[in-house]
């Protein structure tokens, strides 16, 4: 009889954490990178605060969330980029047919369109905007996708010349692929993806819209991204 792999029990425990619709809804909401209060998440998930508190306790104990308290408020966020990556990757595996449904209102239709056009995915850019940036970097030899995502030497220089600081905390990869759940293609994540997202928001090339993760490119962003990466303005709208 062979010895059981010591990772089996922890893996099963992690899978059990995710195998609950309320906890899954919380994790997906937290992909916006912000800290949410327990009350906000309870309203988002449509459950009582007491019920949500129990779920959050399990996610914190399981290492997927971290929490902090300010006065009487309890805030939670995804523990780190690794936790976000796990949620992203699993969400992208859900068959499109399972989540595709007609929008119930004009507002919902507009929100869905905005999210598909461009959004943040934890700390990097996704949707058609994320794909357009990834394709432009690849076309210009700044990013390689043949053996996994990797910035080339020219890519590192491009970030420096554009004034985008590349910092790689801990063991986080400089570049990695993240499967886009709307486009079904990989976009740029990792430290480089986070730096690019932070820069376009800080520089006013993109602005957040609505109450979710949607972003849109500003006229200034269209000009800058056209100049730096040759992306046609029409493809960013």
């Amino acid at each position: 009889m062979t010895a059981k792999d010591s990772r089996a029990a922890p893996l099963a425990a992690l899978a059990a954490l995710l195998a609950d619709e309320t906890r899954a809804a919380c994790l997906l909401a937290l992909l916006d990178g912000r800290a949410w209060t327990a009350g906000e998440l309870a309203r988002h998930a449509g459950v009582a605060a007491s019920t949500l508190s129990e779920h959050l306790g399990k996610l914190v104990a399981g290492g997927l969330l971290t929490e902090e308290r300010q006065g009487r408020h309890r805030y939670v966020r995804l523990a780190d980029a690794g936790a976000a990556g796990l949620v992203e990757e699993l969400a992208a595996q859900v068959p499109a047919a399972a989540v595709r449904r007609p929008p119930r209102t004009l507002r919902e239709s507009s929100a869905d369109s905005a999210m598909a056009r461009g959004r943040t995915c934890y700390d990097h850019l996704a949707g058609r905007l994320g794909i357009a940036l990834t394709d432009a970097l690849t076309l210009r030899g700044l990013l390689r996708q043949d053996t996994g995502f990797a910035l080339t030497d020219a890519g590192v220089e491009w970030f420096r010349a554009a004034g985008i600081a590349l910092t790689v905390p801990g063991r986080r990869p400089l570049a990695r692929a993240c499967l886009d759940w709307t486009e079904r293609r990989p976009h740029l994540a990792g430290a480089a993806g986070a730096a690019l997202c932070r820069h376009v928001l800080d520089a006013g090339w993109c602005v957040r819209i609505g109450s979710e993760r949607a972003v849109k490119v500003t006229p200034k962003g269209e000009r800058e991204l056209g100049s730096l990466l040759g992306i046609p303005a029409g493809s960013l709208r």
Side-chain angles (χ1 to χ4, degrees):
M1 180 176 180
T2 58
K4 184 187 298 184
D5 192 316
S6 61
R7 297 168 297 180
L11 178 59
L14 178 60
L17 272 180
L18 297 164
D20 178 274
E21 188 173 348
T22 297
R23 291 197 288 273
C26 291
L27 291 168
L28 289 169
L30 290 165
L31 279 177
D32 68 358
R34 298 184 299 121
W36 289 48
T37 67
E40 289 169 336
L41 283 172
R43 289 189 293 274
H44 176 80
V47 298
S50 57
T51 300
L52 196 281
S53 181
E54 181 180 348
H55 285 300
L56 293 183
K58 291 179 179 179
L59 290 170
V60 170
L64 291 176
L65 299 185
T66 185
E67 67 176 336
E68 59 184 69
R69 293 184 181 272
Q70 292 186 9
R72 62 187 182 88
H73 293 294
R74 178 192 189 189
Y75 289 88
V76 294
R77 65 171 73 244
L78 289 170
D80 51 29
L86 174 64
V87 177
E88 292 167 1
E89 295 289 348
L90 287 174
Q93 301 306 314
V94 177
V99 295
R100 188 179 293 124
R101 59 170 174 75
R104 291 166 292 187
T105 64
L106 178 60
R107 181 178 181 181
E108 189 173 280
S109 177
S110 297
D112 288 349
S113 295
M115 287 280 281
R117 182 175 60 246
R119 64 184 181 277
T120 55
C121 185
Y122 186 53
D123 61 358
H124 55 274
L125 295 165
R128 292 195 299 274
L129 171 59
I131 294 297
L133 290 168
T134 299
D135 286 349
L137 289 167
T138 304
L139 181 64
R140 282 154 183 75
L142 309 176
L143 176 70
R144 294 184 57 181
Q145 298 190 37
D146 52 351
T147 56
F149 273 30
L151 286 186
T152 63
D153 290 343
V156 173
E157 173 58 24
W158 181 88
F159 272 81
R160 187 201 64 76
I164 305 174
L166 287 175
T167 56
V168 186
R171 294 182 295 174
R172 189 177 193 186
L174 180 59
R176 74 169 181 86
C178 177
L179 184 60
D180 199 292
W181 61 267
T182 53
E183 298 301 302
R184 302 288 159 164
R185 293 179 54 204
H187 57 246
L188 176 64
L196 183 57
C197 178
R198 186 166 55 248
H199 184 81
V200 300
L201 289 170
D202 289 347
W205 298 359
C206 287
V207 292
R208 297 184 184 276
I209 56 175
S211 59
E212 296 194 45
R213 295 186 276 143
V215 299
K216 70 175 181 179
V217 180
T218 63
K220 178 183 179 182
E222 290 180 355
R223 293 192 300 271
E224 294 293 339
L225 292 172
S227 174
L228 286 169
L229 289 170
I231 301 176
S235 67
L236 298 172
R237 296 172 187 166

